[in-house]
Every structure is written in C-alpha cells, then in structure tokens.
Amino acid sequence: MATLHGACTSTLLTTTVIRQTRLFTGSNRQRRRGGGGIRAKVSLKVTTADEQRLLKKGIAEFYDESSEIWENIWGEHMHHGFYDPDAVVNVSDHRSAQIRMIEQALTFASVSEDPSKKPRSIVDVGCGIGGSSRYLSRKYGAECYGITLSPVQAERAQALAAAQGLANKVSFQVADALKQPFPDGKFDLVWSMESGEHMPDKLKFVSELARVAAPGATIIIVTWCHRDLSPTEKSLQPEEKRVLDKICDGFYLPAWCSTADYIKLLESLSLKDIKAADWSGNVAPFWPAVIRSAFTWDGLTSLLQSGWKTIRGALVMPLMIEGFKKGVIKFSIITCTKPV
C-alpha cells in the first residue's frame, strides 16, 4: 500500500509539473515578445517605479499563497538551515538546522549576550511569519519589530506571538523594506534573514538598514548572491544568467548581486567592521530536502491547492540546486556595525 501510495503521488506530481512547465515556458515566451510581467535582470540595475510596484505585489501574493504550506511542513522559520559540511542529515534535523542558522549568524556577527551589551530593540526586515523575531526576542528579552509585504504573513506572525506569550514584546506590520516605517537610529540589532534577494534597489535596501540602526548597532544580512566576478569579467556567463533569470521568474527576485557588491555598498555608507562569508556548503542539504517534502502526500496536495504562484516557485527549486552545484549561486552572510 505504501508503495502504491508513493507511486500515485509521484505520478500526480510529475503530471502536474509537466503541465505547469508548459504554462511556465509559454509565459516566458510571452514576456520575451513584450507581454506583461517583470523581466528580472542579473545586475544592480534599479527597476522603474511601475516595475517595483508590480514586483512588490507579486512578492506579497507569492507569500500570501505559500506561507501556510511552508509552516505546515517546515515550521515557523522560513529560511535555510545550517548544516555541517558532508554531514548525513536526518529528516528531523532540518528544523533544528534552521535554529542553528540563526545562532551561527549571531556568532559570526559577534552579537553580545552580556546583559549590559545585548540588543534591546531589534528589527526583522522581511520577517516571514516571525520565526526569527520571536526567537531573538526570547533570547535577548528584546522588543522586536517585524516587517513584511505579505498581509497574510503579518497576521499569522502576530497570532503566533500571542499564542507564545510574546504579544507585548514583538509586533508585525505590512511595510516596505525600502521605506521602513521607523525613525532613525531606533534599533540595536538590524536583522535581514533571506530578504535581500527580493530587493530591487540594493543601495536603498542597505541604506535603510543603516538608517534605522542605532550608533554602534550590528547589521546582519543573510542573502542569496551570485558569485563574485573575476577582475577580467564584466558580467556572468550567458548560461549562468539563464539559470538565474528562471529562478527570478519563479521566486519574484528582481536583481542578483554578488557578495562583493554588497561590501562595496556598505563601504559607501561608511559602515565599519564589514565582513562576509560564503555558507553555500553549509546549506547544501536544504533544497534537496525541500524538494523531497513536495513528494509527500501533504506536500503534494497542499501544493496543488495553493495557487499558480506557489507552483511556479516549486518548479524552479531544482535550479537552485543546479546553481549551487555550478557555483553561480552563493549563500552569503554579510555583517557590519554602524559607527558610534
């Protein structure tokens, strides 16, 4: 019976993927002919105001559709896990690996746990359903403010905070990371866990992170990047661009940049203690596990019921594995502090 169940699940998923891939390919052809939609480019180029508006709408609707599925299968943390390279990973380890990602980021950035130095006010930029916000608030006893483009995420994040007894410590709202609704210098810790890849204007993004940071505050950016270019290269190779453009279409990503690009932007803002690391090897088990979860009965039925945006995102997940294997995609952490 289990074999039959698995075979039926696999057949149904394969049929769905074939059908949706045809639609996806047709949609791309329409865009190339000048049809609607945003054609993301692998560059630092800032999109027009209309393109930014459409992009934000697409991101919000994508997460409105997909967040419940993710929570049901993976829990409250909507980001990669951190694994030991070459480790044999059990299914039960993935959620704990997501917690390790948070702790590793804090350690890399040297965020103090000394009661007199620990952060007391935190912003979670691109908060998802608030997993990082609640974790950081409990860890440091801090007030945490989360922002997201998705009304569904903001509402669910607040409900989970109330259920976990944190309603008086964390709050969530719909807001644009490129125009944060906070005063200058408000936060001791500025946290962006896998939201930078959605930002159409990377300079504006990091400028806002710096603006809301208090003097002496730590800024942590964990994000998807493309590989650094060599001194003789002006751009990525055509095949590399092809892979990233398809991922952009599926995940509503406007523009990829490199870790080196982020560092230059932070330097231009006179931020200090800038350092970065490539954690691509530490997240390698993540995407294969996400894809395997789609082959479960719960994953399959949820995917089919979710909507086209979620299905389109699922279709490009294998390209994330391809991008990591070929070295064009890098999972990067970049940290810095704001001068006192």
Side-chain angles (χ1 to χ4, degrees):
M1 182 64 71
T3 301
L4 178 60
H5 179 274
C8 291
T9 301
S10 179
T11 300
L12 182 56
L13 180 61
T14 301
T15 302
T16 302
V17 167
I18 290 172
R19 289 174 178 171
Q20 300 296 354
T21 299
R22 288 170 180 166
L23 290 173
F24 186 45
T25 304
S27 175
N28 281 342
R29 283 198 297 267
Q30 181 182 13
R31 270 195 280 275
R32 284 192 290 270
R33 289 195 300 264
I38 298 169
R39 186 59 179 166
K41 299 299 181 184
V42 187
S43 70
L44 279 171
K45 183 178 179 181
V46 178
T47 56
T48 67
D50 283 344
E51 287 174 327
Q52 288 196 25
R53 178 181 56 79
L54 289 172
L55 175 67
K56 288 189 288 186
K57 182 176 183 290
I59 293 169
E61 291 175 350
F62 174 73
Y63 285 110
D64 282 348
E65 277 188 10
S66 62
S67 293
E68 182 178 1
I69 300 172
W70 183 273
E71 182 186 0
N72 289 341
I73 298 174
W74 283 80
E76 63 181 327
H77 295 286
M78 301 183 69
H79 57 79
H80 283 71
F82 187 97
Y83 308 86
D84 293 330
D86 303 319
V88 177
V89 181
N90 296 319
V91 174
S92 60
D93 184 55
H94 291 296
R95 293 194 183 190
S96 59
Q98 291 174 310
I99 298 297
R100 282 199 302 275
M101 175 62 72
I102 296 174
E103 287 292 342
Q104 288 291 329
L106 295 169
T107 298
F108 183 82
S110 302
V111 178
S112 179
E113 295 189 22
D114 185 318
S116 65
K117 298 179 181 179
K118 66 182 181 180
R120 300 182 184 279
S121 183
I122 302 170
V123 63
D124 183 357
V125 179
C127 62
I129 58 172
S132 291
S133 298
R134 291 184 295 274
Y135 185 88
L136 294 169
S137 179
R138 283 192 296 267
K139 181 179 179 69
Y140 296 116
E143 291 186 342
C144 193
Y145 300 79
I147 59 173
T148 173
L149 290 174
S150 166
V152 170
Q153 286 188 335
E155 182 178 358
R156 181 57 180 159
Q158 201 64 57
L160 288 170
Q164 296 174 19
L166 292 169
N168 64 332
K169 298 292 288 186
V170 298
S171 63
F172 303 92
Q173 61 182 295
V174 175
D176 186 351
L178 302 185
K179 192 176 180 181
Q180 295 188 39
F182 306 115
D184 296 356
K186 180 176 177 60
F187 300 106
D188 303 318
L189 175 60
V190 177
W191 178 269
S192 171
M193 175 61 72
E194 297 188 50
S195 62
E197 54 269 19
H198 283 299
M199 306 300 168
D201 186 335
K202 299 296 191 286
L203 176 57
K204 182 63 174 173
F205 169 54
V206 297
S207 296
E208 278 292 276
L209 298 183
R211 181 185 67 79
V212 301
T218 299
I219 299 171
I220 300 176
I221 304 169
V222 181
T223 190
W224 311 355
C225 293
H226 68 62
R227 66 173 177 82
D228 289 344
L229 300 179
S230 71
T232 60
E233 289 182 304
K234 293 184 178 180
S235 67
L236 295 172
Q237 298 301 309
E239 177 61 20
E240 293 174 324
K241 292 181 179 180
R242 181 193 67 80
V243 171
L244 296 189
D245 276 347
K246 287 185 177 181
I247 293 171
C248 286
D249 283 333
F251 287 144
Y252 292 90
L253 309 181
W256 292 73
C257 70
S258 68
T259 307
D261 291 326
Y262 267 112
I263 291 173
K264 290 176 182 177
L265 292 176
L266 296 173
E267 289 174 341
S268 74
L269 298 173
S270 300
L271 296 166
K272 56 183 287 189
D273 304 321
I274 301 169
K275 61 178 181 176
D278 177 6
W279 283 356
S280 301
N282 298 102
V283 303
F286 180 77
W287 284 105
V290 173
I291 292 172
R292 285 195 301 272
S293 72
F295 280 89
T296 65
W297 184 250
D298 287 344
L300 175 64
T301 54
S302 296
L303 183 62
L304 296 179
Q305 294 169 4
S306 63
W308 167 236
K309 288 182 172 62
T310 304
I311 293 171
R312 189 173 72 167
L315 292 175
V316 300
M317 290 191 297
L319 293 177
M320 291 296 295
I321 298 175
E322 178 182 343
F324 276 119
K325 286 183 176 179
K326 291 183 175 180
V328 63
I329 297 177
K330 298 295 182 180
F331 188 90
S332 300
I333 180 170
I334 308 107
T335 69
C336 61
T337 57
K338 187 172 181 176
V340 177

